[in-house]
Amino acid sequence: MRSLQWTYEDFRAYLLIYSSFADHIQVNVERDEIRRRVGDEMFYTYQNMIENDDDDTSTYKIKNYVRNNEMPQEQVDKLLKEVEAVFLCDGEFHKLEKRQYTSLSKLLQKLVKENVD
């Protein structure tokens, strides 16, 4: 797979939309929250991409971006707070969302540590 030439905002949009499918359902309130955060154009661009990506491809894209851009811990923490806000915007933090959040957090923390070492 070729390397993506994403900006931070591209990555952020992809990650938020990817996360919103944690419980296999993207509810309207989550969709609206993400659109508010990233704008309609980015939302629809990355929504379509994610709908065509399988989970391995999405994980690859996330890993690739973080590794190639040496994201600082502060930026990762901010992103994780945004992911959590998307999960909570419907008033519930579902079991599958918690699992996705934990997995994503561990993955991003590991990648940041690799970049520091």
Side-chain angles (χ1 to χ4, degrees), residues 10-28:
D10 292 318
F11 174 71
R12 179 175 161 259
Y14 187 89
L15 186 70
L16 293 175
I17 297 165
Y18 170 76
S19 297
S20 72
F21 283 103
D23 53 1
H24 309 290
I25 302 168
Q26 185 188 57
V27 296
N28 286 337

Side-chain angles (χ1 to χ4, degrees), residues 5-110:
Q5 299 300 312
W6 280 351
T7 65
Y8 172 75
E9 291 304 318
D10 292 318
F11 174 71
R12 179 175 161 259
Y14 187 89
L15 186 70
L16 293 175
I17 297 165
Y18 170 76
S19 297
S20 72
F21 283 103
D23 53 1
H24 309 290
I25 302 168
Q26 185 188 57
V27 296
N28 286 337
V29 70
E30 290 174 344
R31 187 176 331 205
D32 292 344
E33 177 67 17
I34 296 168
R35 286 176 54 210
R36 184 185 66 74
R37 290 174 182 268
V38 304
D40 288 342
E41 184 177 342
M42 286 190 114
F43 176 82
Y44 291 114
T45 297
Y46 291 107
Q47 174 86 6
N48 290 333
M49 184 182 291
I50 287 168
E51 287 176 354
N52 291 309
D53 288 350
D54 60 28
D55 199 49
D56 288 339
T57 300
S58 293
T59 302
Y60 171 82
K61 288 177 178 179
I62 292 166
K63 286 180 178 180
N64 190 50
Y65 179 84
V66 176
R67 283 186 175 133
N68 290 337
N69 291 280
E70 299 183 9
M71 291 178 61
Q73 184 64 50
E74 300 80 31
Q75 199 170 39
V76 168
D77 293 343
K78 184 177 176 186
L79 271 173
L80 289 171
K81 285 182 182 176
E82 283 195 90
V83 168
E84 184 177 22
V86 168
F87 286 150
L88 291 170
C89 73
D90 64 356
E92 295 184 56
F93 202 174
H94 300 280
K95 181 179 179 178
L96 292 174
E97 291 173 333
K98 287 178 185 177
R99 184 180 302 155
Q100 173 79 0
Y101 181 84
T102 300
S103 295
L104 190 58
S105 178
K106 286 179 181 179
L107 173 64
L108 293 175
Q109 302 299 339
K110 178 184 173 192

